[in-house]
Amino acid sequence: MRHDLMARYAAEGEMPVFGRLLERGASSEDGCLPALPTNTGAGWATLQTGAWSGTSGAINNVFHATDTPITEATTGFDARLLQAETLAQAAERQGLTVACVEWPGTLPATCAGPVIDFRTFYSARGALLRRDPPGYRPEIAARLGLADLRSEFPPAAGWRNVPQSTLPPREATLTIASTRPEENRDRVYYACVYAAGAAYDRVLIAEERDGAAAIAILRPGEWAPVRVRLNDGRQAGFHFKLIELAPDLSQCWLAFTTISRTRASRPDLEDLLASDAFAVPETADHGPIEAGLVDAQTYVEQGLMFYANAEAVYRHVIETYRPDILFAGAPVTDEFSHQFMANVTPAFPGYDPTLAAHCETHLRAAYRGADRLLGCLIDLMPADTIVAASSDHGFGAAWRSINANLVLERAGLLFADGEGRPLPQSRAVAFWAGGTCNIYINLVGREPGGIVPPSQYEAECARIVAAFWALNAAGERVVDAIYRCDETAAIPTSGGPATMRFPSRTGDVVVFAAPPHQFDAPDAQALIAPSPLLGQHGYLPDTIDERLNVNMRPPLLLAGPGVPAGLRLYGARAIDIAPTLAALLGIAPPAQADGRNLLQREA
């Protein structure tokens, strides 16, 4: 969430809960300095620990651990990798109870909890089609493993109990392939297209050719939840949506989401959340919209499903467990910003005023949903609850992708297979997320199977730095900053030096892109190419550019007992939030916190 957008929407009355906090609580005038890097894996950990990524070890969404093969990635969302105490752990150590819900990077749980964090996915997602949808990009669908299922919809044969149809019923078979065969089987569904009126207008879906056993009957624009049993009997679910059905059946566009199941620290809680007592969970899915296998409206509807389900989940957690502290997250502002931020930016080469108006509506819907959810949480918690609202980072428009490994390959440092994947004999490999890229040298004595002698280390670092700075040679600012590993121990920011240096995790060279460039979803054949993502983070924490619609600063609002009403906080940083909350709660801060108590400073 961006501070400037939140402030604008609150002033316009679209975020009344945030508006009341701005009026009655303490707030940071221009938002707060975010984590370094400004990516999810580092940001949420920084809010919980009060520590820079170089202290916590949460250096990015994806990085490389140097005790593993040079081609192997490590996720930044495994709570066990955190090397700094969290506020949740500190609170429990001092006798308070906590619950963490949709706070990225909190599983496997390192606190008593309960903890609920995202979902486990069991199948491909994609669409059944008769012909290509508008803007379809098969290369992205193939790269992301999306299901592009096609049918000519022959006459329906062997069906029983087909609804009355004014036109001959037609059929298709679709298989939703498993991505975890040991836990979930491939699932075959039969679709019967029929005409309740003068034209084809319904799709019946069943697991056998029997209309009496339908699991869904859809008209264009409608969604249907489907519940399934995994191989071990546990429940999971997904959705169908009929995006388009042409009256003459020249097109049938039937999308399906991935089969998934909410992740929780307690098996009984996980089973309950997967049961009929709660809706089938969804969050926005970047892959299908980037490939053109769903349209923007479907992406938005899927993303907004999160809020309706989240209110029920949060209510259950609060009423059942009565936590002293609730760590609550919501991903929709991030998801919609990734897809639509450039569309509302006049500097974007593809800017269209009509499309911009639609995309602005989507962004506002995401922010309104977050506001409503916060209001729901405030109502559910005791009246004297302290409230803190912030985000892991701000956001910026983006529309160019850098292929970091291709930079290394053309510099003679990386060797790739036929699909562009780095090979073990590479001298250096890049791992990235958003606007931040870590490059690791395949060093003898450090990397298993290392091939670069220590005597050549400095020269290889210099080659990497030169290769990435060369991206700016054409006059376009592609790279914002490059740091050698030792230099990342004190990266300058407006809030003082920030550390991103963590032994065995930080790259030998760290590259920060300049907006509107970023590293995700690169083109396999081009150093720099148009990006399917139109919004990004991961830039340096102080990055603000009005023309490019970039602002990395998230909001910071505090309210409740001990918080002076109307106080304006200056120089606030993400690392200061956990120590400030600890002081308000009357407990010691997380043990490795780098930040300070903002209220003590302002007193």
Side-chain angles (χ1 to χ4, degrees), residues 6 19 46 48 95 127 129 186 190 214 230 251 285 290 293 315 337 372 404 450 474 550:
M6 177 278 298
T46 296
Q48 269 264 27
L129 296 145
D186 290 350
Y190 300 94
L230 301 176
Q251 174 65 304
D285 187 346
E290 290 165 16
L293 278 177
R315 181 178 296 276
S337 297
R372 176 191 166 101
V550 178

Side-chain angles (χ1 to χ4, degrees), residues 399-433:
W399 55 84
R400 303 280 282 168
S401 289
I402 306 166
N403 189 329
N405 275 332
L406 188 56
V407 174
L408 297 176
E409 186 176 1
R410 292 189 179 180
L413 294 163
L414 181 142
F415 303 97
D417 64 14
E419 297 183 6
R421 292 174 299 208
L423 293 170
Q425 59 265 38
S426 297
R427 298 179 70 81
V429 178
F431 296 83
W432 60 80

Side-chain angles (χ1 to χ4, degrees), residues 1-8 28-35 38 333-334 337 341 345 367 391-398 494 515-516 535-556:
M1 180 176 283
R2 270 171 51 168
H3 170 83
D4 60 328
L5 294 185
M6 177 278 298
R8 185 207 308 171
S28 184
E29 191 70 24
D30 298 310
C32 74
L33 186 76
T38 54
T333 51
D334 177 274
S337 297
M341 192 65 76
T345 305
Y367 276 68
S391 181
D392 51 337
H393 50 68
F395 236 96
S494 60
Q536 195 52 277
H537 42 81
Y539 305 114
L540 286 169
D542 285 308
T543 304
I544 297 175
D545 188 322
E546 258 184 61
R547 187 185 71 85
L548 294 177
N549 192 17
V550 178
N551 192 324
M552 285 299 104
R553 298 184 76 86
L556 172 56

Side-chain angles (χ1 to χ4, degrees), residues 428-460:
V429 178
F431 296 83
W432 60 80
T436 303
C437 181
N438 285 274
I439 299 104
Y440 301 83
I441 292 173
N442 198 1
L443 190 65
V444 171
R446 184 187 72 183
E447 306 281 341
I451 61 172
V452 176
S455 61
Q456 297 176 15
Y457 176 81
E458 292 298 328
E460 297 298 69

